[in-house]
C-alpha cells in the first residue's frame, strides 16, 4: 500500500492543494485518484477498499448512501469518482447516482452482483459511466481513472463548444479569470485552457489529474440556473448568457455548460416520459412555445417561471407557495424560508425518486426528447425547487399564469394538501421527481398554489393571477407544465382533467376521484400516463410531497398523479398516470404551501379548477 | 524443513478446497494477492468479517421463512445480499446454493426455498470449518511465502 495514499481518509485538501498548484502530480496520475466507495455489504466494502488502495488510490468508504452524499456535499471537490452498489437498504444506488451526477458532476460507477440486462440498462439511463459485476476484480478497478479523464475532457470540450457557439469564447477568458476565485478554480483553469495553448496542455493534464474543482449545484444555484434558462428559452440558453443572467461570482461558463448539458439530458428524460403521457397534454404543454413540444413547454414556461423567480431556491418555492396561497401576485418574495430541508428533499434526490418517471415506468419516457423533462430530472434539487418556486411564484407573472393552468392542475396540487400545491416541493423526493415528474408537476405545482383556491387561501389570488398571466396555460409553471407536458403530456391532460376533478375532490380525496392513482403513484413517473387520467396535477404535487407529505396528500396528489411520487405507490398509474412521478410538484406545492401556511388547506382539492383547468389549459 | 512442509501443507489444502469446489480459485487468489506486509492476514480478516456479517443475514432469512405468508421479495433481497457477500470471498458452493434458492424464491416456492436454505446453511458451515483449519495452518506456516503474482 502506498502510505501516502492514506487510509480511509481522503486527504483531499492536501492532495488538492498540491494538485492545484499543479501540476506536480500529473505524471503520477492515476495515483492518488480519490475514490468514494459506497456499499452496504461490509465484506465487499473491505475488499474493495483494499483493492483500491492497492491501485494506489485514495479511498473513502461508506456503508450508507446518505452518509456518502453528505460527505460529498460537504467536500465538493474532494473526490474524483464514486463507486456505488446498486442494492442498498437506505437508498437506491441509482438514486444516489443521479444525485451525485447532478449535484457534483462526478463520474459514478455502479456495481452489483446482478448482471441482468435491465439493471445494467438502468445504470446506463441514469448516467452511470460504468457498471461492474460483482465480485469485482482488481483489474476492473485499475482502469476506473479513465472515466474521470473522459468526463473532464468531455466537459472541457463541451465548454469549448459552448463558447464557440455562444460566441463567448474570447471574452470569457477574462471573466473566467475573475471567477476563478473560489468556486471554480478548475473551471477557471479549464476555460483558460481554452484560451491559451500553453495552458491547455497543462490544464489538460490537470484535468486528468483530477484537479478540477467542482462546483456544487446547490438548490439555490440550480434554481438560478433554471430561472436563467427559462428566461432565455431552452433553445437559446447558452452558457454564456445563462452565466450572465445568473450572475454568480466565481461561476464559470464551463460550469454552466456542463450543468446545462446534464439539465438537457434530464429534461430529455423527463420529456421522454411525458411524451408518452403527454399525448393528451400537448396543448397544455406548449402554451408558450409550441415549438418545444413537451419539452419546450416546460422549458419555456418553466424557464420563464424560473426566470421570473430568479433563482428559485428552495425557499423560493416557499415564496411561491406563499404567493400562491395568498399572495398570488407575490413576487418571489424573499424566499420564504421554507424549511430548506424540504426543498432539499425535493431536489436532493433524497428520494430515489429521481427516477421520476424513469424508474418507474417509463424510462423511455424520460428519455424522450423532453428536454424539459430532463431539466427536471436532471437537475437534482436545484431544479425542482426552482421550478416549484416558479410555479409558485405567482408573483412572477408566470406563476400566475400557472395558476391558471394549475387551475387545471391545481386541483391536484391543491388537493394535495395544504402544503401548497407544490407538494413536490415538499418532499425531497419531489424534487427529484421533479425532473421527471417535476416538469409535469412543476407545472402543476406551480399552479397549485395559485389555483388552489382549494388549497388554501390564495386561490383567489392565484386564480386571478393565473388567469391573467397564463396564456392559457399558466406558463409559469412551465417547469411543471413542461414537465408534465413533456413528460407526460398526459399529465397535463390529466391535470386539466384532474383539475376538474380536483375541484370535486377537494382535499386529497378529490384527487382520488380523478384517478385515484395520483396519489400513490409516486413512481408513476410522469409519463403522462395520466393521459387519460387527467389526474390533476395535484397528484404530482402530491408526489412531491410524497416523500414527505405527498403520500398523505396522496390523494391530492392524485391529481398530479403524473408526478411520480416515489414514495407513493404507484397509484397514479392507475388512473392518473400523470402524477406518478410528478408528485413532486404537487408535493412541493403542498409542502411549500404548507410551510407557508402552516397547513394550508388540506382540502385544496377544491380548487375551483373547474374554472381553470379546462378552460385555461390550452389543450 | 518444517516451514517448507507447513507451507506445502497450506498450499495443498488450498488446492483441495479449490478442487472440491468449496472455493473459487480466481476470487480467492485475488484476495490473497491483496495481502501484503501491511495486511498480512487480510484474507482471514475478510473471511471472519464475512461470517460475522452474514450471520445476521442467515438469521433474517430464517425468520422470513418462518413467516406466513412468506414474503418472497424480501427473501430474494436478503439472499441477493448473501449471495453477493459469499461470492466476494469465493465461496463457490454457498453461492451456488444461493442461486438455487433465489430461483425457488422467484417461483414462489416456499418449500423449495426452505429445502434449499438447509443446503445453503450446510455448505456455509462446512466451508467455515475448512477455512478455520486452513487459516490455522497458514498462521502456523508463517506469513511469508504466499504465492503471489507480481502486481
Amino acid at each position: 500500500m502506498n502510505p501516502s495514499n492514506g487510509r480511509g481518509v481522503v486527504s483531499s485538501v492536501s492532495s488538492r492543494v498540491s494538485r492545484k498548484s499543479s501540476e506536480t502530480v500529473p505524471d503520477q496520475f492515476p495515483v492518488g485518484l480519490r475514490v468514494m466507495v459506497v456499499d452496504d455489504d461490509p465484506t465487499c466494502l473491505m475488499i474493495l477498499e483494499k483493492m483500491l488502495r492497492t491501485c494506489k488510490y485514495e479511498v473513502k468508504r461508506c456503508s450508507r448512501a446518505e452518509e456518502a452524499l453528505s460527505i460529498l456535499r460537504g467536500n465538493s471537490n474532494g473526490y474524483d469518482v464514486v463507486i456505488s452498489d446498486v442494492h442498498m437498504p437506505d437508498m437506491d444506488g441509482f438514486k444516489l447516482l443521479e444525485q451525485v451526477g447532478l449535484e457534483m458532476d462526478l463520474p459514478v460507477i455502479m456495481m452489483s452482483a446482478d448482471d441482468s440486462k435491465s439493471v445494467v440498462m438502468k445504470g446506463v439511463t441514469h448516467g452511470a459511466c460504468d457498471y461492474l459485476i460483482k465480485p469485482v476484480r482488481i483489474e476492473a478497478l485499475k482502469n476506473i481513472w479513465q472515466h474521470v479523464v473522459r468526463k473532464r475532457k468531455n466537459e472541457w470540450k463541451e465548454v469549448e463548444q459552448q463558447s464557440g457557439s455562444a460566441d463567448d469564447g474570447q471574452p470569457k477568458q477574462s471573466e473566467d479569470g475573475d471567477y476563478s476565485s473560489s468556486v471554480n478554480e478548475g473551471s477557471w483553469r479549464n476555460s483558460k485552457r481554452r484560451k491559451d495553448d500553453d495552458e491547455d496542455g497543462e490544464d489538460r493534464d490537470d484535468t486528468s489529474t483530477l484537479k478540477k474543482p467542482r462546483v456544487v449545484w446547490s438548490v439555490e444555484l440550480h434554481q438560478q440556473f433554471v430561472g436563467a434558462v427559462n428566461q432565455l428559452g431552452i433553445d437559446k440558453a447558452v452558457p454564456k448568457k445563462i452565466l450572465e443572467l445568473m450572475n454568480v461570482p466565481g461561476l464559470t461558463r464551463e460550469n454552466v455548460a456542463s450543468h446545462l448539458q446534464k439539465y438537457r439530458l434530464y429534461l430529455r428524460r423527463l420529456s421522454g416520459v411525458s411524451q408518452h403521457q403527454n399525448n393528451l397534454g400537448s396543448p397544455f404543454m406548449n402554451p408558450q412555445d409550441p415549438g418545444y413540444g413537451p419539452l419546450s413547454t416546460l422549458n419555456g414556461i418553466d424557464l420563464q417561471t424560473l426566470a421570473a423567480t430568479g433563482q428559485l431556491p428552495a425557499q423560493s418555492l416557499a415564496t411561491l407557495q406563499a404567493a400562491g396561497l395568498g399572495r398570488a401576485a407575490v413576487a418571489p418574495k424573499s424566499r420564504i424560508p421554507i424549511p430548506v430541508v424540504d426543498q432539499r428533499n425535493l431536489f436532493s434526490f433524497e428520494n430515489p425518486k429521481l427516477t421520476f418517471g424513469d424508474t418507474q415506468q417509463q424510462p423511455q419516457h424520460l428519455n424522450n426528447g423532453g428536454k424539459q423533462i430532463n431539466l427536471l430530472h436532471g437537475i437534482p434539487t436545484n431544479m425542482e425547487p426552482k421550478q416549484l418556486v416558479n410555479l409558485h411564484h405567482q408573483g412572477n407573472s408566470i406563476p400566475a399564469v400557472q395558476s391558471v393552468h394549475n387551475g387545471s392542475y391545481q386541483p391536484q396540487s391543491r388537493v394535495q394538501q395544504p402544503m401548497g400545491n407544490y407538494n413536490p416541493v415538499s418532499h425531497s423526493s419531489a424534487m427529484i421527481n421533479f425532473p421527471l415528474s417535476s416538469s409535469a408537476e412543476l407545472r402543476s405545482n406551480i399552479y397549485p398554489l395559485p389555483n388552489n383556491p382549494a388549497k388554501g387561501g390564495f386561490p383567489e389570488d392565484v386564480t386571478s393571477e393565473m388567469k391573467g398571466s397564463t396564456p392559457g396555460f399558466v406558463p409559469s409553471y412551465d417547469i411543471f407544465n413542461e414537465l408534465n407536458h413533456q413528460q407526460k403530456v398526459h399529465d397535463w391532460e390529466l391535470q386539466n382533467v384532474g383539475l376538474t376533478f380536483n375541484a370535486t375532490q377537494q382535499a386529497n380525496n378529490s384527487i382520488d376521484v380523478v384517478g385515484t392513482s395520483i396519489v400513490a403513484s409516486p413512481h408513476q413517473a410522469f409519463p403522462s400516463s395520466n393521459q387519460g387520467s387527467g389526474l390533476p396535477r395535484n397528484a404530482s404535487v402530491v408526489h412531491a410531497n410524497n416523500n414527505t407529505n405527498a403520500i398523505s396528500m396522496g390523494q391530492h396528489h392524485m391529481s398530479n398523479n403524473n408526478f411520480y411520487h416515489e414514495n407513493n405507490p404507484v397509484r397514479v398509474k392507475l388512473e392518473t398516470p400523470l402524477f406518478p412521478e410528478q408528485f413532486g410538484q404537487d408535493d412541493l406545492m403542498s409542502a411549500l404551501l404548507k410551510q407557508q401556511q402552516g397547513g394550508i388547506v388540506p382540502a385544496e382539492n377544491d380548487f375551483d379548477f373547474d374554472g381553470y383547468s379546462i378552460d385555461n389549459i390550452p389543450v | 524443513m518444517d516451514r517448507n512442509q507447513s507451507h506445502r501443507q497450506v498450499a495443498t489444502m488450498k488446492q483441495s478446497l479449490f478442487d472440491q469446489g468449496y472455493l473459487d480459485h480466481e476470487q480467492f487468489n485475488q484476495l490473497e494477492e491483496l495481502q501484503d506486509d501491511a495486511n498480512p492476514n487480510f484474507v482471514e480478516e475478510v473471511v471472519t468479517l464475512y461470517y460475522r456479517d452474514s450471520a445476521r443475514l442467515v438469521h433474517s432469512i430464517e425468520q422470513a421463512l418462518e413467516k406466513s405468508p412468506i414474503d418472497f421479495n424480501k427473501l430474494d433481497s436478503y439472499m441477493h445480499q448473501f449471495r453477493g457477500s459469499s461470492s466476494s470471498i469465493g465461496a463457490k458452493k454457498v453461492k451456488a446454493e444461493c442461486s438455487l434458492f433465489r430461483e425457488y424464491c422467484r417461483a414462489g416456492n416456499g418449500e423449495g426455498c426452505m429445502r434449499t436454505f438447509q443446503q445453503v446453511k450446510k455448505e456455509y458451515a462446512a466451508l467455515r470449518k475448512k477455512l478455520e483449519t486452513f487459516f490455522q495452518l497458514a498462521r502456523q506456516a508463517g506469513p511469508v511465502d504466499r504465492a503471489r503474482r507480481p502486481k
Side-chain angles (χ1 to χ4, degrees), chain A residues 158-201:
Chain A
E158 172 192 318
V159 169
E160 244 188 353
Q161 285 167 5
Q162 292 284 358
S163 58
S165 58
D167 188 30
D168 54 2
Q170 302 315 315
K172 248 341 171 128
Q173 206 166 7
S174 44
E175 290 169 18
D176 290 339
D178 296 339
Y179 292 140
S180 61
S181 50
S182 46
V183 177
N184 310 308
E185 288 193 30
S187 311
W188 170 80
R189 210 180 300 131
N190 292 339
S191 54
K192 256 200 127 226
R193 214 183 329 180
R194 221 172 346 114
K195 310 314 173 18
D196 300 352
D197 287 347
D198 301 340
E199 290 205 347
D200 283 352

Side-chain angles (χ1 to χ4, degrees), chain A residues 41 50 87 137-139, chain B residues 26 30 34 39 53 80 85:
Chain A
D41 182 344
K50 192 72 170 76
H87 298 280
R137 310 289 299 279
I138 194 170
E139 289 79 17
Chain B
E26 274 192 28
Q30 284 249 315
L34 290 174
N39 294 100
D53 180 64
H80 173 81
S85 246

Side-chain angles (χ1 to χ4, degrees), chain A residues 230-292:
Chain A
N230 284 337
Q231 200 173 313
L232 295 168
I234 192 69
D235 287 345
K236 298 199 189 54
V238 287
K240 185 171 186 180
K241 298 211 180 96
I242 296 172
L243 185 64
E244 284 166 8
L245 276 176
M246 285 176 70
N247 195 24
V248 171
L251 194 66
T252 69
R253 203 166 50 72
E254 285 86 0
N255 300 137
V256 174
S258 68
H259 195 72
L260 177 65
Q261 197 183 47
K262 289 204 213 94
Y263 186 68
R264 288 211 175 106
L265 284 174
Y266 164 76
L267 289 182
R268 202 172 301 129
R269 209 153 29 126
L270 288 176
S271 65
V273 169
S274 62
Q275 278 186 352
H276 281 273
Q277 321 234 348
N278 279 335
N279 305 331
L280 306 177
S282 36
F284 284 93
M285 305 225 311
N286 304 310
Q288 322 239 346
D289 231 320
Y292 284 127

Side-chain angles (χ1 to χ4, degrees), chain A residues 262-425:
Chain A
K262 289 204 213 94
Y263 186 68
R264 288 211 175 106
L265 284 174
Y266 164 76
L267 289 182
R268 202 172 301 129
R269 209 153 29 126
L270 288 176
S271 65
V273 169
S274 62
Q275 278 186 352
H276 281 273
Q277 321 234 348
N278 279 335
N279 305 331
L280 306 177
S282 36
F284 284 93
M285 305 225 311
N286 304 310
Q288 322 239 346
D289 231 320
Y292 284 127
L295 280 180
S296 47
T297 353
L298 260 185
N299 291 323
I301 303 186
D302 293 334
L303 292 178
Q304 293 177 19
T305 315
L306 289 174
T309 50
Q311 312 141 2
L312 296 171
Q315 314 201 348
S316 337
L317 278 176
T319 317
L320 282 176
Q321 286 194 339
L325 293 180
R327 312 204 247 183
V330 193
K333 333 202 146 214
S334 52
R335 302 203 183 238
I336 306 193
I338 302 185
V340 183
V341 178
D342 284 347
Q343 308 232 339
R344 216 175 217 240
N345 291 329
L346 290 175
F347 300 117
S348 57
F349 303 120
E350 287 174 3
N351 301 308
K353 281 120 141 323
L354 274 182
T355 56
F356 282 119
D358 277 334
T359 44
Q360 299 277 345
Q361 307 177 1
Q362 299 135 3
Q364 1 147 356
H365 292 294
L366 296 174
N367 295 315
N368 292 330
K371 277 201 267 183
Q372 306 182 347
I373 302 191
N374 291 328
L375 285 175
L376 290 178
H377 280 291
I379 305 212
T381 54
N382 294 329
M383 280 294 295
E384 304 185 300
K386 286 202 229 183
Q387 305 211 332
L388 289 178
V389 178
N390 289 326
L391 293 175
H392 289 289
H393 260 315
Q394 304 283 330
N396 290 321
S397 69
I398 301 194
V401 174
Q402 299 189 338
S403 42
V404 173
H405 290 294
N406 292 326
S408 15
Y409 288 124
Q410 301 279 342
Q412 303 176 355
S413 44
R414 304 233 225 160
V415 173
Q416 306 222 342
Q417 301 126 45
M419 304 257 331
N421 306 322
Y422 291 124
N423 294 321
V425 178

